Amino acid sequence: METLLLDAGTVASHTPMTAVVDAVETAFAAHARGDAVMPPKTYVDLPQYDGDFRSMPAYLRGDGVERSSTDTDSRSQTGDDWDAAGVKWVNSHPNNRARHALPTVMGTMIYSDPETAFPLAIMDGTTLTTRRTGAAAAVATDHLAVRDARTLGLVGAGVQSHAQLDAILTVRPIETVIVADADADRAREFVEAVSDRVTARVGSIAEAAACDVLSTVTPVEEPIVETVGDHTHVNAVGADAAGKHELADDLLTSAKIVVDDREQCVHSGEINVPYSEGVLTDDDIHATLGEVIVGEATSRTDADGVTVFDSTGLAIQDVAAAHVAYERAAAAGAGVSFDLLGLS
């Protein structure tokens, strides 16, 4: 047996967003059912290099889900049963670009056969992370946004903003996108890049926040979104460490809050600051997204106003996306096979 090496381009080519959204939804459901093993994320802090490493292992068993087709859902309608395991080794070195001309974040994914532990693939984890993060927001949007959502606001115009649009387009017929970013050139570049698919324009944070769906993808530590529309669904994606905080406390206290993982969100998600200050408590968390998917908690109801998905990023999402990348790349004969273990 040989291990498959998948670089960034190969991962991107073999992770169509529709398939990743399906796989990530399956992963959330498996987590809620108890069909996943996901130890807490571990950190190796390296203050001497102004950075850290993070280890994210997981196993999940995914049951194929039959979905009823709708005019707003172009995703695949069935899935096969599968199980998968892997670990992502990822860093955060904020000064990398200035000091070494390297990305701030780089990830490597080891994808293994759960039965034998054979390393099936080693793949770029950075592209994988971008796509699975967008997919998680799409799953949340599908369950928590109004069904006729047509407008999407984006606060932040970086790489993840593209993934948010790509993914959300698979679950809602978005027609208009308003993007706000402190870097005006970057916002204009985003608009130019997506204008062949949607009507897009640069706007203020307030204009973006008034849309049917809002995704915030910034690293700020002081809230920049004060109010949203009466029925806006918010994907709070930017907060991934203690102290980060994009949404005003008043907005959070009045919203229906769904988290990807309770422990991780109160430690490093959008709710971490108001939770640590006692502004929010466990009672203010409606459910995990997995609980919503499997029907243990309600999705959007007619009585709901603002909904918020607190997305910190889970190892099960990485494993689910890696499953898509490996299966499709292997079927296509893509990647580079090599005898990692010297068994040949």
Side-chain angles (χ1 to χ4, degrees):
M1 294 180 66
E2 293 194 318
T3 300
L4 199 58
L5 181 64
L6 305 177
D7 64 15
T10 307
V11 170
S13 297
H14 293 87
T15 49
M17 193 58 84
T18 52
V20 178
V21 170
D22 278 346
V24 167
E25 183 172 46
T26 296
F28 279 121
H31 191 211
R33 292 194 308 264
D35 289 338
V37 179
M38 188 174 62
K41 184 188 303 184
T42 57
Y43 290 79
V44 178
D45 291 316
L46 300 171
Q48 67 271 35
Y49 299 120
D50 297 322
D52 65 66
F53 288 104
R54 305 164 192 193
S55 175
M56 299 174 65
Y59 161 82
L60 68 96
R61 185 173 74 249
D63 294 333
V65 179
E66 183 112 6
R67 298 183 179 86
S68 58
S69 177
T70 72
D71 60 351
T72 61
D73 190 344
S74 61
R75 291 177 293 157
S76 59
Q77 299 305 308
T78 61
D80 297 324
D81 294 349
W82 50 274
D83 66 347
V87 58
K88 186 173 74 174
W89 180 244
V90 62
N91 76 296
S92 177
H93 284 61
N95 296 312
N96 252 6
R97 289 198 183 277
R99 294 177 180 175
H100 308 292
L102 287 170
T104 297
V105 176
M106 294 173 282
T108 302
M109 185 77 190
I110 301 173
Y111 180 73
S112 302
D113 182 337
E115 182 178 2
T116 67
F118 186 83
L120 297 170
I122 299 173
M123 67 183 76
D124 170 57
T126 306
T127 303
L128 206 69
T129 300
T130 298
R131 298 184 76 73
R132 62 79 154 153
T133 303
V139 174
T141 299
D142 200 23
H143 289 273
L144 297 171
V146 293
R147 294 306 306 176
D148 61 349
R150 295 292 192 277
T151 59
L152 170 65
L154 294 167
V155 177
V159 172
Q160 183 51 223
S161 62
H162 290 271
Q164 291 289 309
L165 175 59
D166 292 346
I168 291 169
L169 278 171
T170 72
V171 299
R172 289 294 187 275
I174 299 299
E175 298 170 351
T176 302
V177 175
I178 301 174
V179 59
D181 194 287
D183 185 331
D185 289 338
R186 186 164 61 178
R188 284 192 293 269
E189 289 170 2
F190 176 89
V191 168
E192 291 174 5
V194 305
S195 290
D196 60 330
R197 292 181 293 160
V198 293
T199 300
R201 68 176 178 87
V202 177
S204 65
I205 291 176
E207 289 174 309
C211 291
D212 297 325
V213 180
L214 170 68
S215 289
T216 58
V217 290
T218 73
V220 299
E221 296 188 357
E222 292 293 333
I224 55 175
V225 177
E226 298 290 335
T227 60
V228 297
D230 291 342
H231 300 282
T232 297
H233 167 66
V234 184
N235 297 303
V237 178
D240 61 354
K244 291 186 177 181
H245 191 19
E246 296 182 290
L247 309 180
D249 288 356
D250 287 346
L251 192 165
L252 289 169
T253 56
S254 62
K256 182 176 187 174
I257 299 174
V258 173
V259 299
D260 58 9
D261 180 82
R262 284 182 173 83
E263 182 177 353
Q264 201 159 287
C265 284
V266 300
H267 174 265
S268 57
E270 176 58 37
I271 64 173
N272 84 90
V273 173
Y275 186 91
S276 67
E277 295 173 349
V279 175
L280 293 175
T281 69
D282 292 338
D283 291 339
D284 294 305
I285 300 173
H286 172 68
T288 67
L289 182 55
E291 290 165 345
V292 171
I293 292 168
V294 301
E296 293 179 4
T298 59
S299 56
R300 173 169 284 277
T301 69
D302 292 340
D304 287 330
V306 176
T307 55
V308 171
F309 172 53
D310 190 347
S311 174
T312 57
L314 306 181
I316 53 169
Q317 297 167 226
D318 295 306
V319 171
H323 170 73
V324 174
Y326 171 74
E327 293 292 334
R328 288 175 177 260
V336 177
S337 296
F338 67 108
D339 187 10
L340 176 67
L341 301 184
L343 300 177
S344 300

